[in-house]
Amino acid sequence: MRAFIVRPFGVKNDIDFDAVERELIAPALREAGFTGGTTIDILRAGNIRIDMFQRLLTADLVVADLSIHNANVFYELGIRHALRDKRTFLLRSDTDRFPFDLQTDRYFTYDRANPAASLPLLVAALRQTKNSEEQDSPVFRSLPSLEAQDRSHFLAVPPDFREEVERAAADRQLGDLELLGVEARGFEWESEGLRLVGRAQYSLKAFEGARATWEAVRQLDLSDLEANTLLGTIYQRLGDLVRSDQALKRVLSRRGLDSNDRAEAHSLLGRNAKALWTNDWEQASSLPERQRLALQSAYLDESLEGYEGAFDEDLNHFYSGLNALAMLTVQTELAKSLPEVWAERFEEDDESERELSARKKRAEKLSAAVELSLKAAAERLKREQTTDIWAQISEADLCFLTSRKPSRVTNAYQRALAGAPALVVAAIRGQLGLYQELGLLQEKVAAALAVLAPAPAGGDSASPPAPAGPTRVLLFTGHMIDTPDRAQPRFPPDQEEVARQKIMETVLREQELAGGVAYGLSGGASGGDIIFHEVCEKLDIPTRLFLALPREQYVRESVQSAGPQWVERFQRLQRSLPTRVLGESKELPRWLQEKPDYNIWQRNNLWMLHNALAAGGDNVTLIALWDGKTGDGLGGTRDMVQSADERGAKTIILDTNTIFGT
């Protein structure tokens, strides 16, 4: 989260406001998880007033020091209160009387003679403010219908960051997307950068990575519309229907939500209820039992209500209307087949017949409304000179539900499926399979299935493939071979075989674990990296070579100092292994250069780590040939070990102090 500090500067009224920020406000913000500062921190050319307005609008938190009557501070505070409804934190030294209009507000008070003494209390107060969703702006509290500005309209994502996201998405590099999401944190445009990454992950169906990204967006605003809507689907795909429902209900709790967004949220709630309904009956062994459980399930009505509620919100949302009609058709067909089960929910027998008749009429009206909605959609598409495969499929689905002629159903799906991708075919087959499992509309099901290409023997091509092999990924990091002029030995050249044996033993133990090893991943530096690749090659474990820099520059930086034989070994690996290169030079991308205490080697570590995690998930093992010390600079082995620990990866340390006797 980003913070902006509004305060006087220099020494005024015997208060050193620069010292107050240095000793109290800045350290408290860091400890509470905020980045940012004042406009003085901005070094690039520009207009300080524009920068100030930008931060007052877009900052997640504004801290205002009102210790003295400073016109600039009160002016900026007024702007913040008018633009944002929450997370404006007021503090003061008990010196001047403050204006009447602000006397009813809560203040944090610090000792001007010893501001650092208040640090623990300020950290706690900032954390509470960070987690609070209460309005603290007197403007918004006084005008309850006032809406806060959507700051996303004012946050420009750097074009080169956007391009990196686009390249990673086009190449389906899920680890790169995760890295970019992490690197966007702390910038003013963090939320919009995360949105770019999250949308790419969502479109690639990388739901675990998308979950983490959209949860980070939602941390900035718990009621964020896009984050909660997408998390509604992401949680559902990950099997967490409770969190999915919670996210969607957050959407519906927003004020001023337009009809399409409300329809989408209701529809997704209907889909979740449909999944729970399917769970209630799909494991039953016999058709009569499946039908009974399906009709009795409370989730059938809940799903129907969700889809109908969505269609009521927006009659252009034909998808929800069609699904409501499908659930209503299932219910009436099951009720006709099992009248005694249907009658269980009513006190009188004739009441059950009346209700069934009412639902059939309801289905007729609903089908007419869906037909009109689909026709309107077709007209819009025609005007816009575009096509929508799902609109065409929906027309065939409506024909399936309403037509009495199986041959017409066949014709409808033949026209709709011309050139349709496997994903669409899989979706249709899944819905038809539901009717098939329940023994409903069998003639029309057979007519529709006859149009579809046969499902592949291993399952539908659009379905996620079952794991065909091991999923464990080994990530290696370790010291380079010592150069002759190294004062403190770390990896003496005469210890190469000792290191090889220890790496071999470790890799073998990992290979013996359940599931085995999918592949290894490492850089190509002289020393541990190259030895790791050679060990894996001997054990028939494929590896991938990740280079921080282009080959020639990488050799100069990380291989050449160990001697020509190491260069030859590197070149052999590079010719035979899948190789990826992080950057064109040691200089970070322009959008990343303002990130403090960060360099290409740290980025390289995180790049490799996130690619390992994206592939292996919980099954990543970091093997570190390491002396346990800080090393020669940022981005070394210690940095990799620390990053892996923070992300919960399994870490095995090969202590060079012990194995080399250094």
Side-chain angles (χ1 to χ4, degrees):
M1 282 188 165
R2 292 283 297 182
F4 181 53
I5 303 169
V6 175
R7 66 171 179 86
F9 292 91
V11 178
K12 293 180 175 64
N13 294 23
D14 297 326
I15 303 173
D16 185 343
F17 288 102
D18 295 346
V20 171
E21 178 181 346
R22 185 174 60 251
E23 298 172 15
L24 175 61
I25 301 175
L29 287 171
R30 284 195 299 272
E31 198 165 333
F34 290 94
T35 59
T38 67
T39 49
I40 284 180
D41 297 330
I42 305 165
L43 302 178
R44 63 177 178 270
N47 186 306
I48 193 169
R49 182 182 295 172
I50 293 173
D51 292 331
M52 177 264 289
F53 287 145
Q54 175 88 2
R55 280 153 185 76
L56 287 171
L57 171 62
T58 62
D60 300 295
L61 171 76
V62 164
V63 177
D65 190 333
L66 306 178
S67 296
I68 64 172
H69 291 180
N70 183 290
N72 287 336
V73 171
F74 287 124
Y75 174 68
E76 293 174 31
L77 176 62
I79 292 171
R80 171 68 176 190
H81 276 162
L83 294 175
R84 296 291 298 277
D85 60 338
K86 57 194 171 195
R87 297 198 182 96
T88 302
F89 189 89
L90 308 182
L91 79 165
R92 64 188 300 273
S93 169
D94 194 9
T95 306
D96 277 6
R97 289 179 59 80
F98 44 102
F100 173 79
D101 287 347
L102 293 172
Q103 287 181 10
T104 58
D105 292 312
R106 288 197 185 99
Y107 289 82
F108 181 91
T109 305
Y110 63 86
D111 182 353
R112 61 176 174 165
N114 184 17
S118 302
L119 181 58
L121 286 176
L122 182 55
V123 170
L126 291 175
R127 284 175 174 161
Q128 288 181 21
T129 303
K130 181 180 181 180
N131 295 326
S132 173
E133 291 298 311
E134 289 186 18
Q135 287 186 334
D136 51 42
S137 163
V139 177
F140 284 87
R141 287 204 303 262
S142 302
L143 303 171
S145 296
L146 188 65
E147 292 289 332
Q149 291 289 321
D150 182 353
R151 62 181 184 164
S152 67
H153 299 155
F154 306 92
L155 292 169
V157 177
D160 45 346
F161 176 84
R162 183 184 298 274
E163 289 167 0
E164 280 206 54
V165 173
E166 291 171 352
R167 288 195 297 271
D171 295 338
R172 304 185 67 85
Q173 296 294 352
L174 305 184
D176 290 19
L177 287 172
E178 290 186 13
L179 169 67
L180 291 166
V182 169
E183 290 179 327
R185 310 288 177 89
F187 287 105
E188 291 173 65
W189 44 268
E190 172 183 354
S191 62
E192 300 315 296
L194 287 170
R195 287 182 202 281
L196 281 179
V197 172
R199 289 168 191 153
Q201 291 170 318
Y202 183 85
S203 67
L204 292 173
K205 295 182 169 44
F207 292 120
E208 192 56 55
R211 177 196 60 75
T213 302
W214 286 109
E215 284 179 346
V217 174
R218 194 170 64 178
Q219 276 295 107
L220 304 174
D221 179 5
L222 290 178
S223 62
D224 187 279
L225 174 61
E226 184 178 20
N228 281 306
T229 302
L230 292 180
L231 283 169
T233 293
I234 291 164
Y235 287 135
Q236 185 263 341
R237 296 298 177 88
L238 295 175
D240 193 340
L241 295 181
V242 173
R243 279 194 170 87
S244 177
D245 279 359
Q246 289 171 340
L248 296 169
K249 287 173 183 176
R250 286 186 182 185
V251 171
L252 293 171
S253 70
R254 286 176 59 102
R255 290 188 307 170
L257 200 63
D258 69 35
S259 59
N260 183 263
D261 289 330
R262 291 188 66 83
E264 186 66 15
H266 278 297
S267 181
L268 295 176
L269 285 169
R271 180 196 60 189
N272 286 354
K274 181 179 177 181
L276 292 169
W277 169 69
T278 305
N279 291 342
D280 275 352
W281 56 263
E282 65 180 350
Q283 298 303 320
S285 57
S286 67
L287 176 60
E289 182 68 3
R290 288 196 296 274
Q291 289 183 331
R292 182 183 67 79
L293 291 173
L295 184 56
Q296 288 178 331
S297 173
Y299 293 118
L300 177 55
D301 282 312
E302 188 176 323
S303 177
L304 173 57
E305 289 167 8
Y307 285 127
E308 274 195 317
F311 197 47
D312 288 343
E313 290 283 356
D314 185 355
L315 293 176
N316 288 317
H317 203 269
F318 59 81
Y319 167 83
S320 57
L322 186 62
N323 275 279
L325 180 60
M327 299 308 289
L328 191 54
T329 300
V330 167
Q331 189 175 59
T332 56
E333 290 293 320
L334 288 173
K336 283 195 300 183
S337 299
L338 302 171
E340 69 288 350
V341 177
W342 175 249
E344 290 173 359
R345 62 170 70 192
F346 304 101
E347 188 67 32
E348 304 292 338
D349 289 345
D350 60 345
E351 188 180 354
S352 68
E353 294 172 6
R354 285 198 305 273
E355 181 59 27
L356 180 57
S357 177
R359 296 203 176 210
K360 289 178 181 176
K361 291 178 181 177
R362 183 170 152 195
E364 291 173 4
K365 293 178 180 178
L366 186 56
S367 66
V370 172
E371 184 176 8
L372 284 173
S373 182
L374 283 167
K375 284 182 178 178
E379 287 299 320
R380 284 195 302 274
L381 292 168
K382 186 177 179 181
R383 286 195 303 272
E384 295 165 3
Q385 297 183 332
T386 187
T387 59
D388 181 354
I389 183 65
W390 292 109
Q392 297 168 18
I393 295 300
S394 294
E395 290 181 7
D397 289 339
L398 179 62
C399 178
F400 172 85
L401 291 170
T402 58
S403 177
R404 293 186 178 87
K405 294 177 61 178
S407 59
R408 186 163 174 259
V409 172
T410 300
N411 181 263
Y413 278 114
Q414 280 175 333
R415 285 186 286 109
L417 285 169
L423 176 68
V424 174
V425 176
I428 297 171
R429 185 178 286 112
Q431 182 64 22
L432 293 173
L434 183 149
Y435 299 118
Q436 200 170 36
E437 286 292 302
L438 290 173
L440 305 176
L441 311 175
Q442 290 303 287
E443 284 188 65
K444 290 194 285 186
V445 168
L449 287 175
V451 178
L452 306 183
D460 206 297
S461 60
S463 303
T471 58
R472 180 171 299 280
V473 175
L474 301 183
L475 174 62
F476 182 87
T477 185
H479 295 312
M480 294 170 58
I481 285 283
D482 291 346
T483 56
D485 59 349
R486 184 172 183 86
Q488 179 63 44
R490 193 170 62 179
F491 189 166
D494 61 2
Q495 296 296 314
E496 179 185 340
E497 287 309 312
V498 175
R500 182 183 303 277
Q501 186 59 36
K502 289 295 181 183
I503 294 171
M504 174 79 76
E505 292 170 2
T506 305
V507 172
L508 279 170
R509 284 197 299 270
E510 291 296 301
Q511 197 175 28
E512 290 167 0
L513 296 176
V517 173
Y519 64 86
L521 185 157
S522 181
S526 58
D529 288 358
I530 289 177
I531 295 171
F532 170 76
H533 285 292
E534 292 172 344
V535 164
C536 288
E537 181 182 29
K538 188 170 183 179
L539 297 175
D540 292 325
I541 297 173
T543 58
R544 301 177 186 183
L545 186 61
F546 276 52
L547 304 181
L549 301 165
R551 183 181 64 83
E552 295 83 358
Q553 191 173 350
Y554 188 87
V555 168
R556 290 196 302 271
E557 290 281 342
S558 302
V559 185
Q560 208 168 56
S561 62
Q565 73 278 17
W566 285 96
V567 174
E568 290 174 8
R569 288 161 72 176
F570 168 84
Q571 290 174 339
R572 187 187 69 81
L573 290 173
Q574 200 267 328
R575 285 193 297 268
S576 63
L577 295 179
T579 303
R580 295 195 60 207
V581 177
L582 175 59
E584 293 302 314
S585 72
K586 291 172 68 174
E587 188 174 73
L588 290 168
R590 186 170 57 182
W591 66 267
L592 196 51
Q593 289 173 10
E594 291 183 18
K595 198 173 186 72
D597 302 320
Y598 196 58
N599 64 24
I600 187 67
W601 305 112
Q602 290 169 294
R603 190 179 202 216
N604 181 63
N605 279 346
L606 286 176
W607 177 53
M608 291 194 294
L609 177 58
H610 280 286
N611 271 276
L613 291 170
D618 294 336
N619 293 320
V620 172
T621 299
L622 173 67
I623 301 172
L625 184 70
W626 182 41
D627 62 3
K629 298 175 184 175
T630 301
D632 298 329
L634 295 173
T637 302
R638 180 178 184 274
D639 176 67
M640 176 71 96
V641 171
Q642 184 176 338
S643 296
D645 284 344
E646 289 172 354
R647 288 157 179 80
K650 176 183 175 183
T651 303
I652 299 174
I653 306 296
L654 305 181
D655 184 358
T656 59
N657 297 299
T658 301
I659 63 176
F660 297 159
T662 56

